[in-house]
Amino acid sequence: MKTSLLPAIALCGIASTSHAEGLAKTRDGLFLAFGLGIGYGSMSTEATIPTSFTTTTDMEMTNSGLTNSFDFRIGGTVAQDLALHATLVGDAIGGPETELKIGGRTKTVDAFNSVGFSMLGVGATKYFTPADAFVSASAGIATFQVEDTSESSSKIKDRGFALQGKVGKEWWISPNWALGVAGVVNWAYVSPSDETDKYLSAGVQFSATSW
């Protein structure tokens, strides 16, 4: 009797393992993803400034340096391995090197503690099995913020436009959670009445995703 039970027990074990593996490869329902990383970026500003009551001159300023970035995506699946989501992005350059060009003269100044932007938008993330690779793209409204060396923070009141793109890979650590790494590019643009600001960064992010 014991001998005859062994094949049945083995079959049950194989079936249970297959069922667990199936759960680990299923992406559906609620989608949550958190990303945190570092990179390199720059924020450029172009403006026309007055030099007297009747004359103006062009001013160009570039802030560049290492960046810290994060994103949070929440949504749900609309098809197998495809999620639509709201996206929150933050990206900032800490202690940037500031290059200022006015009237053809260029100099380096210590002007800011940080410059950056945040984005609230929508996007889509597509996975490719069995490699567990993914691509993600989001677009939304951007808000720029700077903090000068006197630690006075200010926001550019006008809202701009931002994009985020990611390409990466994940590894399952449980039936509902995966850890991953991705290359990420963030871009933002705003043009108030008196200036134009552009932000561009590229880097690597580590992520945690739940389904």
Side-chain angles (χ1 to χ4, degrees), residues 27-140:
R27 294 185 175 92
D28 54 21
L30 179 66
F31 170 75
L32 292 173
F34 310 85
L36 185 66
I38 59 174
Y40 188 85
S42 67
M43 176 177 168
S44 62
T45 301
E46 297 178 358
T48 300
I49 59 175
T51 55
S52 68
F53 288 107
T54 58
T55 61
T56 61
T57 189
D58 292 333
M59 183 274 292
E60 298 179 10
M61 181 172 61
T62 302
N63 292 279
S64 57
L66 296 178
T67 63
N68 295 301
S69 67
F70 78 89
D71 65 45
F72 173 63
R73 292 168 287 156
I74 180 170
T77 54
V78 294
Q80 183 66 38
D81 294 331
L82 175 64
L84 299 183
H85 46 77
T87 307
L88 175 65
V89 173
D91 199 321
I93 304 170
E97 179 179 295
T98 304
E99 185 178 88
L100 187 62
K101 182 178 181 181
I102 301 177
R105 295 183 177 181
T106 302
K107 62 179 180 178
T108 300
V109 297
D110 183 17
F112 300 100
N113 287 335
S114 66
V115 298
F117 81 97
S118 60
M119 181 196 84
L120 181 61
V122 295
T125 299
K126 171 62 178 177
Y127 285 83
F128 301 92
T129 55
D132 292 326
F134 69 91
V135 295
S136 181
S138 297

Side-chain angles (χ1 to χ4, degrees), residues 191-205:
S191 184
S193 58
D194 57 348
E195 67 183 61
T196 298
D197 298 283
K198 300 176 184 177
Y199 189 102
L200 177 65
S201 72
V204 60
Q205 279 190 348

Side-chain angles (χ1 to χ4, degrees), residues 11-12 14 29 76 84 88 90-91 97 160-161 173 176 183:
L11 288 173
C12 289
I14 293 172
L84 299 183
L88 175 65
D91 199 321
E97 179 179 295
F161 179 71
I173 60 171
N176 301 110

